[in-house]
Amino acid sequence: RLAHAASEVITDTTLDDDAMAALKSAVEAICSPIDDKRGTVAFRTSTAGVLAQRAARIAYDRARG
C-alpha cells in the first residue's frame, strides 16, 4: 500500500531530524497491523516507522550519489 501522506512530509526536505520524525509519525498513523504471536500492534507500528526512515535515508543517499 502506498503512503502518500508519508511521502508528502519528506518531499523537498533534506531529511533532517524533524522530517524523519514527521515521516515516522505519518507512517505510524496509516499503519494497521495485526496482533499475533510474532509481534504486537505497537511493535509492528513502531517497526513500520523505523523501516520507512531507513528506506528514505537509503533512497536519499543514493539520489545524492
Side-chain angles (χ1 to χ4, degrees):
R1 169 164 78 159
L2 295 176
H4 295 289
S7 66
E8 290 173 5
V9 300
I10 60 169
T11 299
D12 295 325
T13 71
T14 58
L15 294 186
D16 58 9
D17 290 341
D18 291 338
M20 293 298 267
L23 172 62
K24 187 174 190 294
S25 293
V27 170
E28 289 175 349
I30 63 168
C31 189
S32 59
I34 63 168
D35 193 15
D36 68 10
K37 65 181 180 181
R38 292 175 296 217
T40 64
V41 168
F43 171 76
R44 290 175 181 216
T45 300
S46 178
T47 301
V50 170
L51 291 176
Q53 288 176 318
R54 289 180 187 174
R57 176 57 60 195
I58 290 168
Y60 182 80
D61 291 343
R62 286 181 182 172
R64 292 182 60 210

